[in-house]
Amino acid sequence: MIQNNRCLNFNHGRINAPVHACPMCGEVVNGDISIKNCSEDEHAERRKDRNKYCIDCGNQLI
Ligand SMILES: [Zn+2]
Ligand SMILES: [Zn+2]
């Protein structure tokens, strides 16, 4: 498990986070949600949300 330096995203404090990965650090916050096979179009949408990481697959967007 990778330790992130004080990521403040609210998903870390949740027991059942609604997303697979944190949009700010990419760390898995809910391993029960399976990794999605995202398309480039979906990642383009994520970038518009100013997310640094994809919440569905954890890949870095920027
Ligand atoms: Zn985070
Ligand atoms: Zn993705």
Side-chain angles (χ1 to χ4, degrees):
M1 192 68 85
I2 304 156
Q3 278 286 337
N4 64 77
N5 9 335
R6 270 180 256 116
C7 175
L8 296 174
N9 192 271
F10 65 93
N11 285 305
H12 289 287
R14 302 178 77 164
I15 294 164
N16 278 309
V19 295
H20 174 79
C22 172
M24 289 170 71
C25 70
E27 194 175 291
V28 175
V29 287
N30 190 348
D32 290 338
I33 298 177
S34 52
I35 298 172
K36 208 175 140 190
N37 200 1
C38 303
S39 66
E40 259 316 302
D41 285 351
E42 283 171 298
H43 280 174
E45 285 296 314
R46 298 288 183 216
R47 285 189 193 97
K48 279 188 217 158
D49 296 336
R50 302 231 196 113
N51 287 346
K52 200 174 172 196
Y53 293 86
C54 178
I55 56 171
D56 292 321
C57 67
N59 281 350
Q60 194 167 354
L61 297 173
I62 301 167

